[in-house]
Amino acid sequence: MNANLTITDLSKRYGSTVALDGVNLTFQPAIHGLFGRNGAGKSTLLGVIANRLLPDGGAVELDGANVRENESAQSRIYLVNETLPFLLGARISTIFKREERYYGGFDWPFSARMLAAFGIEPGRAYGHLSLGQRMIVRLVAALCVPTDVLLLDEPVLGLDAVNRDLFYRFLLESYGERPRIIVISTHIIDEIAHIVERAAIIDRGRIIEAFDAESVTSRATVLTGESACVGSFVEDCGLQVISRETMGRLAAVIVRGPVEAADLPSGIAANALGLQDYVIRVTSGAVGPDMPDISDHQEAGAAGAVSSSKGE
Ligand SMILES: Nc1ncnc2c1ncn2[C@@H]1O[C@H](COP(=O)(O)OP(=O)(O)OP(=O)(O)O)[C@@H](O)[C@H]1O
């Protein structure tokens, strides 16, 4: 049976700080990316899903079972985050045996192959490893337990570029062997863009978008050309502006949705945005007072509105 993780109206406060504000999301087996700026609520969301943090309201259900009240649902969810989960004095192999007992299985051959590839001896004590190596051990454990849900909060923090690449390969191999719900929260979006199938963007505790990662190229378009020309085109077509930058006489305006090349006047180029750029644009608050949105633009007229974003 395909696992189904449903998050309904989840809220969480820390004192007066609202970390989660009515989050609704569903996850099915796929590699999901959870993206958002610092403090957006990613770690809190993953912590609540894994039952490490208590929500103030809402529910997390795995195949209909409320995760808070159901131990067997809890043992189907594995979280890797910044908290120290293992005893510093314990050997890696002892740690893996503990995970095997709690989670009901462990892929020993795969763990041996991964540790060898990362150059880590299984007999070493966890506390004698470097910070990056400790994270690797946690990731190896995560890929070897038979849970239906894997939550990876900043999984490559501290890993060098070679080991990050190795980890992404093992993650894909593991997912290929055993598809399950994998949620990765990271700021290094470019590096995982090629493996993510679904993306969710969280901003100030709210999910602002959730979409198939493949569709990102049709979600926004960068139009570049002479400011006045781009401004008129955007206005004439009634395109919704996400952000706008001017560089001398030129403007780069990011609009929602695809723009057909055939519709473009000469002098304007249209390019799709990749996942990382898209996340940056929709979470950066780039449409602000000094970067007028389309409604300001319509009032001021095409050329006026675009040139006003030069920072008057
Ligand atoms: N233990 C805590 N006590 C008080 N406030 C907290 C606590 N943990 C998180 N917060 C606040 O809750 C909000 C969400 O934090 P969270 O750690 O979930 O964000 P994040 O998206 O994971 O950020 P980052 O990308 O920086 O790790 C932030 O405003 C943060 O300051």
Side-chain angles (χ1 to χ4, degrees), residues 64-202:
N66 189 316
V67 171
R68 273 211 55 63
E69 296 156 1
N70 190 305
E71 259 190 56
S72 102
Q74 289 162 20
S75 69
R76 294 173 61 200
I77 301 175
Y78 197 90
L79 169 68
V80 175
N81 68 2
E82 60 167 10
T83 56
L84 194 70
F86 303 141
L87 293 174
L88 290 175
R91 289 186 193 288
I92 297 169
S93 49
T94 312
I95 288 170
F96 288 174
K97 278 181 197 147
R98 193 196 74 171
E99 300 302 83
E100 180 178 38
R101 274 197 302 279
Y102 185 79
Y103 292 98
F106 199 83
D107 189 339
W108 289 99
F110 191 34
S111 74
R113 195 152 55 82
M114 284 192 280
L115 286 181
F118 285 112
I120 300 174
E121 288 283 323
R124 291 190 71 187
Y126 184 67
H128 291 175
L129 301 174
S130 73
L131 289 180
Q133 288 171 328
R134 286 181 202 177
M135 180 53 99
I136 289 168
V137 168
R138 293 157 67 182
L139 294 173
V140 168
L143 294 185
C144 291
V145 290
T147 59
D148 295 311
V149 181
L150 204 51
L151 308 173
L152 306 176
D153 192 359
E154 289 291 353
V156 294
L157 208 63
L159 269 63
D160 67 40
V162 175
N163 283 342
R164 293 204 298 275
D165 184 59
L166 207 48
F167 165 66
Y168 299 133
R169 287 163 194 264
F170 282 129
L171 179 75
L172 273 183
E173 179 185 334
S174 163
Y175 179 73
E177 289 284 314
R178 193 162 47 87
R180 55 203 185 281
I181 297 169
I182 299 180
V183 186
I184 306 174
S185 167
T186 180
H187 294 292
I188 314 180
I189 303 171
D190 265 348
E191 279 192 6
I192 63 158
H194 67 293
I195 60 173
V196 164
E197 296 167 275
R198 292 273 307 164
I201 304 178
I202 185 167

Side-chain angles (χ1 to χ4, degrees), residues 14 17-19 36-45 153-154 187 202:
Y14 298 99
T17 303
V18 178
R37 299 190 66 185
N38 290 131
K42 303 178 296 296
S43 298
T44 303
L45 177 58
D153 192 359
E154 289 291 353
H187 294 292
I202 185 167

